[in-house]
Amino acid sequence: GEIRAVNFAEKRIHESNRLGFEKFVIPASCKKQIAELPKDLLARVSFIKHIGQLNSFLGSVPVKAAKESSRAVARPNSEISQ
């Protein structure tokens, strides 16, 4: 499937950077929206057009880091249900 554009891509990248994210994967259709990003942020952005391309980015995530991030996401949900 095609990856569609998102609203406020530049703001999303700035906020994600503030939260500590180092790499960004966004729809290729958002290139014009982020043209004004600082060069250091723009260098860490990758563009995809189809969902199949996402595999190459996810494949580069170490397994340990992926497990830790999934636990971090699961923990708040379990605390809410208690």
Side-chain angles (χ1 to χ4, degrees), residues 16-63:
S16 298
N17 184 58
R18 188 184 71 77
L19 292 170
F21 289 88
E22 296 176 358
K23 296 180 182 179
F24 312 96
V25 180
I26 66 169
S29 54
C30 292
K31 282 184 180 181
K32 290 181 183 178
Q33 289 183 31
I34 66 163
E36 301 298 320
L37 275 178
K39 289 184 181 184
D40 65 316
L41 278 179
L42 199 54
R44 296 186 279 149
V45 174
S46 298
F47 301 97
I48 60 173
K49 289 184 179 184
H50 299 283
I51 194 72
Q53 295 173 312
L54 186 58
N55 232 7
S56 63
F57 296 102
L58 294 178
S60 64
V61 175
V63 175

Side-chain angles (χ1 to χ4, degrees), residues 2 9 13 42 52 56 65 69 71 74:
E2 175 188 1
I13 291 172
L42 199 54
S56 63
S69 65
R71 279 190 225 132

